[in-house]
């Protein structure tokens, strides 16, 4: 259609906002057209372009009509006489239709007759085949009866095996023919067939058991082959369970046997494994892969005969091993059971055993969530009890609470506690213990800050040391936990767990700053109280005629008493110097403010006295200087001695004055005033 328009419209407009060929597409949609072109032009422009294109189409239509005008005019005249022509051929066409219908009916009748004959012939053939099979069934029944009679009287084991093989082959053929003539079997034939089946299975089971008793491997393989040929592999497995496994397990698995075994459950499990190695040795050789070969395929007596009986006896006769009330006993039983299952899996198809319904139900009987809850209460309870006190400890940890926390973290992965199936839970418990310890330290800081709890300075030192040590030993904890992870855990997962532990390491370290700050404030609070005596210095010299000072006042020693005692007690600690720098920075900051306030007050007092003196004594010349030995100079001199003595004591501790905030400013302040007034 687009080609037709191209022929009709010789020169379509080229400056339109759309492509003219879009209107001829089968998938043309007005909404889609507007959606696609709304960003190319506004609605007014699109309306104008559509009007231009409409005029072009009208012009092309008029040109087409003018070009073929004669054909348009003669269109109606060419249809004259068409009705008569149609009427003339209508009658012959109707007759032809009737003749075709008659032929069609005849063909359908013939087809139906042929189909009926074919169906009848098929039924006759099937009945003939069934009658032949029925005749063969009667012959097989007689033959099998004879073979069973011979086997009943035959004492030779080898001959019995041969007769069983013949009977099995005949029985398979009998089953085949029975399936083809079952509707024609009489009640007597059905009863005879059932009796033969029972007798054959009885002889087969008897021979199977006898082969195991006499350890006849070749004959056992022949008997198993007969089971397979009859499609009765499950019958053989059930027979072995009933005749061999069940009696043995009845004597091995019960509470009395468990109590009398000197090795307990582990010894009982070893006796169960010994049954496989000894009693089932010939059977396993005949049915399991050995040197990439297997004499008889299709049997798994360990999984289908041995395991169901063992699991059922364990479930019914040894209910005590599943009780999680005593976690230590439960752990021992569960560990012994896992070792038993590992030994069992090495003696059969591991995948088939684990997919067995009774294996899954057996594993579900072990109530691991309850065991974990008991362990959780033990471990978390000891942590909570330890966090209620703030006692010191001896050894690698300074606080008893931290020692209990670390012991609890390691106990999660201890040999007689950890179970691999609960790895995710014990990992979560580790994180919960770390979180509880972190919260405890935060609450200790908060209570101390609010004054609800009085904490000794030694406690802050011990907490700082323990936080540092615990954060560093988290790598050791991860190594212990990683060694417990199953080999199936991917390296990506291990990296994620290590990243999680690193995050906790940083979180514990984030507490060091607040603890250190609280320690500094606890030490400096006593010294700050002594700073009040700085304001008493002016009283000592103003209007007292006291001699000029020659040494520092005792309040400096009082101010240094707490820091010096802290240094004496904790000088071996690696962070003592850092704490002392912060302590003296805190004290010096307030000391500087106090000295500045005193000096400002002294200066104001000095200026006031000078103005009063000028007013009273008009004879004194303007600009005369006050007496250098005045009270104010003594005050400045005393502050100078105090500040230098304070700095000297700090430096005696091995702390540089540059490392103490505002100490140099303090010295500069008192020295400037001292030199300015010419004091010595």
């Amino acid at each position: 259609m687009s080609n037709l328009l191209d022929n009709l419209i010789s020169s379509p407009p080229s400056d339109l906002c759309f492509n003219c060929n879009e209107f001829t597409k089968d998938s043309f949609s007005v909404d889609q057209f507007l959606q696609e072109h709304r960003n190319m032009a506004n609605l007014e422009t699109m309306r104008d372009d559509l009007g231009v294109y409409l005029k072009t189409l009208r012009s092309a239509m008029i040109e087409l009509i003018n070009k073929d005008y004669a054909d348009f005019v003669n269109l109606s005249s060419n249809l004259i006489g068409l009705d008569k022509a149609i009427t003339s051929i209508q009658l012959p066409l109707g007759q032809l239709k009737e003749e075709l219908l008659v032929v069609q009916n005849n063909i359908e009748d013939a087809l139906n007759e042929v189909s009926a004959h074919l169906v009848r012939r098929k039924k006759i053939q099937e009945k003939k085949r069934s009658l032949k099979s029925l005749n063969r069934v009667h012959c097989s029944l007689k033959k099998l009866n004879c073979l069973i009679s011979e086997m009943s009287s035959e004492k030779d084991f080898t001959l019995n095996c041969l007769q069983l093989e013949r009977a099995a082959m005949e029985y398979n053929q009998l089953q085949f023919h029975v399936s083809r003539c079952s509707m024609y079997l009489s009640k007597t034939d059905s009863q005879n067939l059932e009796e033969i089946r029972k007798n054959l299975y009885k002889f087969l089971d008897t021979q199977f058991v006898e082969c195991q008793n006499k350890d006849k491997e070749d004959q056992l393989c022949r008997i198993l082959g007969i089971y397979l040929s009859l499609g009765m592999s499950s019958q053989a497995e059930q027979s072995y369970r009933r005749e061999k496994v069940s009696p043995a397990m009845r004597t091995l698995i019960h509470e009395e046997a468990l109590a009398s075994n000197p090795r307990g459950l582990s010894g009982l499990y070893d006796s169960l494994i010994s049954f496989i190695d000894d009693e089932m040795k010939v059977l396993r050789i005949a049915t399991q892969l050995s040197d990439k070969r297997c004499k008889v395929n299709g049997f798994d007596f360990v999984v289908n005969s041995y395991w169901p009986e063992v699991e059922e006896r364990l479930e019914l006769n040894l209910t005590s091993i599943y009780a999680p009330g005593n976690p230590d006993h439960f752990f021992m039983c569960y560990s012994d059971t896992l070792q038993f299952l590992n030994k069992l899996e090495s003696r059969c198809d591991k995948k088939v055993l684990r997919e067995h319904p009774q294996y899954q139900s057996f594993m579900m009987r072990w109530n691991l969530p309850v065991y974990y809850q008991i362990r959780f209460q033990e471990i978390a309870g000891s942590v909570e009890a330890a966090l209620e006190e703030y006692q010191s400890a001896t050894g690698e940890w300074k606080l008893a609470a931290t020692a209990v926390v670390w012991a609890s973290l390691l106990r999660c992965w201890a040999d007689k506690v950890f179970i691999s199936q609960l790895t995710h839970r014990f990992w979560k418990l580790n994180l919960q213990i770390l979180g509880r310890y972190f919260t405890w330290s935060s609450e200790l800081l908060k209570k101390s800050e609010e004054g609800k709890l009085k904490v000794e300075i030694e406690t802050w030192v011990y907490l700082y040391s323990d936080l540092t040590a615990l954060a560093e030993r988290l790598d050791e904890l991860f190594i212990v936990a990683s060694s417990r992870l199953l080999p199936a855990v991917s390296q990506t997962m291990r990296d994620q767990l290590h990243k999680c532990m690193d995050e906790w390491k940083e979180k514990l370290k984030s507490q060091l700053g607040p603890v250190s700050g609280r320690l500094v404030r606890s030490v400096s609070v006593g010294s700050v109280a002594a700073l009040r005596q700085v304001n008493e210095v002016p009283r000592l010299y103003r209007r007292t005629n006291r001699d000029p000072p020659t040494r520092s006042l005792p309040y400096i020693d009082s101010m240094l008493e707490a820091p010096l005692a802290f240094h004496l007690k904790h000088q071996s600690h690696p962070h003592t110097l850092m704490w002392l720098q912060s302590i003296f920075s805190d004290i010096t900051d307030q000391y500087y403010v106090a000295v500045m306030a005193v000096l400002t007050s002294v200066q104001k007092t000095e200026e006031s006295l000078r103005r009063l003196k000028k007013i009273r004594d008009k004879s004194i010349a303007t600009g005369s200087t006050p007496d250098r030995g005045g009270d104010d100079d003594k005050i400045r001199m005393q502050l100078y001695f105090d500040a230098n003595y304070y700095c000297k004591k700090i430096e005696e501790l091995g702390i540089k004055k540059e490392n103490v905030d505002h100490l140099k400013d303090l010295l500069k302040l008192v020295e400037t005033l001292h030199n300015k007034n010419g004091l010595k």
Side-chain angles (χ1 to χ4, degrees):
M1 189 172 180
S2 60
N3 294 332
L4 178 60
L5 284 177
D6 292 340
N7 294 332
L8 294 176
I9 304 175
S10 58
S11 56
S14 59
D15 57 346
L16 301 179
C17 65
F18 51 81
N19 189 354
C20 299
N21 294 328
E22 293 184 10
F23 298 103
T24 61
K25 294 180 180 179
D26 296 335
S27 60
F28 175 75
S29 171
V30 175
D31 294 335
Q32 185 177 359
F33 176 81
L34 294 175
Q35 182 72 17
E36 292 177 354
H37 293 84
R38 66 178 182 177
N39 295 328
M40 300 176 62
N42 54 37
L43 294 178
E44 290 76 8
T45 304
M46 187 177 296
R47 181 192 61 191
D48 296 340
D49 290 352
L50 288 173
V52 172
Y53 186 58
L54 178 61
K55 292 180 181 179
T56 304
L57 290 177
R58 287 175 177 172
S59 300
M61 182 181 67
I62 293 172
E63 291 179 3
L64 177 62
I65 293 174
N66 293 334
K67 182 179 179 180
D68 300 324
Y69 180 76
D71 294 336
F72 280 107
V73 173
N74 296 330
L75 182 62
S76 59
S77 61
N78 292 337
L79 298 177
I80 298 174
L82 182 62
D83 293 340
K84 293 181 179 180
I86 293 173
T87 304
S88 62
I89 64 173
Q90 188 173 5
L91 182 60
L93 288 176
Q95 295 175 352
L96 180 61
K97 179 179 179 181
E98 292 178 358
E99 293 175 358
L100 290 175
L101 290 174
V102 172
V103 173
Q104 182 180 3
N105 291 333
N106 292 336
I107 292 175
E108 290 178 353
D109 293 340
L111 287 175
N112 291 334
E113 184 178 357
V114 171
S115 298
H117 283 295
L118 290 175
V119 171
R120 182 182 177 189
R121 181 179 178 183
K122 182 178 180 181
K123 289 182 179 180
I124 293 173
Q125 289 176 347
E126 289 178 352
K127 187 174 182 180
K128 183 178 180 180
R129 185 183 63 184
S130 298
L131 292 175
K132 287 182 179 181
S133 295
L134 182 61
N135 183 44
R136 187 70 182 84
V137 166
H138 289 152
C139 295
S140 296
L141 288 175
K142 292 178 182 179
K143 188 173 181 180
L144 284 170
N145 283 325
C146 293
L147 288 172
I148 291 175
S149 299
E150 292 176 2
M151 286 187 291
S152 301
S153 59
E154 184 62 55
K155 302 298 182 182
D156 190 348
F157 182 79
T158 304
L159 291 176
N160 268 339
C161 286
L162 292 172
Q163 290 170 343
L164 271 175
E165 289 176 346
R166 290 173 58 195
M169 293 175 61
E170 192 65 33
Y171 185 78
N172 282 333
Q173 293 183 10
L174 174 62
Q175 291 292 100
F176 171 73
H177 290 294
V178 166
S179 65
R180 300 176 65 175
C181 65
S182 57
M183 68 180 65
Y184 299 105
L185 286 176
S186 63
K187 185 176 181 181
T188 303
D189 291 336
S190 299
Q191 292 176 351
N192 195 7
L193 179 63
E194 180 64 20
E195 185 177 356
I196 288 174
R197 185 187 69 81
K198 291 180 179 179
N199 289 331
L200 181 60
Y201 288 179
K202 179 180 179 182
F203 278 110
L204 193 56
D205 290 344
T206 302
Q207 294 296 318
F208 178 49
V209 173
E210 188 173 350
C211 287
Q212 298 172 64
N213 293 334
K214 296 181 179 180
D215 291 340
K216 296 181 178 181
E217 182 180 344
D218 295 336
Q219 285 81 359
L220 181 61
C221 292
R222 293 174 66 179
I223 295 297
L224 293 175
I226 295 172
Y227 274 114
L228 282 178
S229 67
L230 294 173
M232 296 167 53
S233 58
S234 60
Q235 171 75 14
E237 293 168 346
Q238 291 300 319
S239 175
Y240 183 76
R241 176 184 177 182
R242 182 178 60 255
E243 300 296 334
K244 286 289 187 181
V245 181
S246 183
M249 297 302 111
R250 192 180 301 115
T251 61
L252 290 176
I253 305 176
H254 53 83
E255 292 290 351
E256 291 77 8
L258 177 62
S260 60
N261 196 307
R263 296 175 53 216
L265 185 60
S266 177
L268 188 146
Y269 280 144
D270 287 344
S271 63
L272 298 182
I273 295 296
S274 298
F275 179 85
I276 299 177
D277 296 337
D278 300 335
E279 300 298 329
M280 300 181 66
K281 180 178 180 181
V282 177
L283 197 61
R284 291 173 59 223
I285 292 174
T287 57
Q288 292 186 358
L289 290 174
S290 178
D291 297 331
K292 298 183 180 180
R293 67 184 182 87
C294 182
K295 293 183 178 180
V296 183
N297 291 315
F299 295 94
D300 197 336
F301 288 97
V302 175
V303 174
N304 298 324
S305 300
Y306 172 83
W307 170 246
E309 184 67 25
V310 170
E311 191 277 333
E312 183 176 322
R313 297 284 179 182
L314 290 174
E315 181 178 346
L316 298 177
N317 299 343
L318 294 181
T319 56
S320 62
I321 66 175
Y322 304 103
N326 184 344
D328 295 331
H329 179 262
F330 179 86
F331 177 86
M332 181 180 64
C333 293
Y334 186 72
S335 300
D336 292 340
T337 301
L338 291 182
Q339 293 179 7
F340 165 68
L341 292 177
N342 289 334
K343 294 177 182 179
L344 183 61
E345 289 173 355
S346 65
R347 289 164 172 79
C348 64
D349 190 325
K350 178 179 178 180
K351 182 179 180 181
V352 175
L353 176 64
R354 291 193 173 185
E355 292 176 351
H356 197 281
Q358 285 184 257
Y359 182 92
Q360 298 173 5
S361 65
F362 177 70
M363 297 306 295
M364 291 295 293
R365 285 189 62 83
W366 296 92
N367 205 334
L368 296 180
V370 174
Y371 168 79
Y372 171 76
Q373 285 300 323
I374 296 175
R375 291 300 190 190
F376 177 86
Q377 293 174 4
E378 292 178 352
I379 298 173
S382 64
V383 171
E384 287 296 332
L387 294 180
E388 291 179 358
E389 301 178 356
Y390 307 99
Q391 297 179 356
S392 60
T394 57
E396 58 179 337
W397 303 104
K398 303 301 182 181
L399 291 175
T402 313
V404 173
V405 166
W406 178 250
S408 300
L409 291 172
L410 293 180
R411 189 161 184 254
C412 293
W413 312 101
D415 290 336
K416 294 185 179 181
V417 174
F418 174 76
I419 293 178
S420 59
Q421 286 75 9
L422 297 174
T423 302
H424 61 294
R425 292 178 180 263
F426 281 113
W427 176 264
K428 182 179 179 180
L429 179 55
N430 266 198
L431 301 184
Q432 289 174 325
I433 293 173
L434 290 173
R436 184 65 186 92
Y437 185 73
F438 179 84
T439 303
W440 171 76
S441 62
S442 300
E443 291 176 351
L444 183 62
L445 287 166
K446 183 178 180 181
K447 291 179 181 179
S448 176
E449 194 74 30
E450 295 175 352
K452 296 179 180 179
L453 180 66
K454 183 178 180 180
V455 182
E456 299 295 333
I457 296 175
E458 286 72 17
T459 303
W460 296 120
V461 177
Y462 295 157
L463 180 59
Y464 188 95
S465 301
D466 285 355
L467 282 170
T468 304
L470 184 60
E472 295 301 326
R473 297 195 66 176
L474 287 185
D475 289 333
E476 177 185 339
L477 178 65
F478 177 76
I479 294 174
V480 174
S482 181
S483 65
R484 290 293 194 173
L485 298 179
L486 296 175
V489 178
S490 64
Q491 185 60 41
T492 303
M493 179 59 68
R494 293 175 186 268
D495 294 340
Q496 290 293 331
L497 296 177
H498 192 271
K499 182 179 179 182
C500 177
M501 196 60 73
D502 289 340
E503 290 176 357
W504 269 108
K505 185 190 299 185
E506 296 302 321
K507 196 169 185 179
L508 290 176
K509 288 182 177 180
S510 67
Q511 287 288 78
L512 296 178
V515 170
S516 182
R518 191 58 198 166
L519 184 152
V520 168
R521 288 191 294 274
S522 298
V523 176
S524 62
V525 65
S527 300
V528 172
L531 283 174
R532 298 172 185 172
Q533 299 183 36
V534 176
N535 298 323
E536 303 297 327
V537 172
R539 291 184 182 181
L540 298 177
Y541 295 101
R542 197 175 303 281
R543 299 180 182 276
T544 60
N545 293 323
R546 191 171 183 172
D547 295 335
T550 58
R551 61 184 181 86
S552 63
L553 293 176
Y555 78 89
I556 298 296
D557 293 323
S558 300
M559 191 169 61
L560 293 171
E561 182 179 355
L564 293 177
F566 176 79
H567 174 264
L568 182 62
K569 190 169 185 178
H570 302 286
Q571 57 184 342
S572 61
H573 197 283
H575 295 91
T576 297
L577 189 62
M578 176 194 72
W579 288 326
L580 286 173
Q581 290 176 1
S582 300
I583 291 169
F584 284 123
S585 294
D586 191 16
I587 297 172
T588 305
D589 183 32
Q590 300 184 55
Y591 187 25
Y592 178 84
V593 173
V595 170
M596 176 66 76
V598 170
L599 292 175
T600 302
S601 175
V602 168
Q603 185 177 2
K604 290 181 180 179
T605 303
E606 186 179 28
E607 291 176 356
S608 298
L609 292 174
R610 185 183 295 114
R611 286 195 297 270
L612 289 174
K613 187 175 182 180
K614 288 181 179 179
I615 295 173
R616 292 178 180 179
D617 192 0
K618 296 290 185 175
S619 62
I620 299 176
T622 303
S624 62
T625 59
D627 184 14
R628 296 182 182 271
D631 297 340
D632 296 333
D633 292 337
K634 294 178 183 179
I635 295 172
R636 293 188 184 95
M637 186 180 298
Q638 184 63 62
L639 293 177
Y640 172 79
F641 284 124
D642 292 346
N644 280 274
Y645 179 74
Y646 173 72
C647 179
K648 177 183 177 182
K649 286 294 183 179
I650 292 176
E651 291 180 333
E652 286 178 357
L653 297 177
I655 302 175
K656 296 181 179 180
K657 57 185 177 181
E658 292 82 3
N659 296 331
V660 178
D661 296 342
H662 298 294
L663 181 57
K664 294 183 69 175
D665 296 336
L666 175 64
L667 295 176
K668 184 177 180 181
L669 175 64
V670 296
E671 286 177 359
T672 301
L673 293 175
H674 182 269
N675 296 331
K676 181 178 179 181
N677 290 276
L679 301 175
K680 296 182 181 180

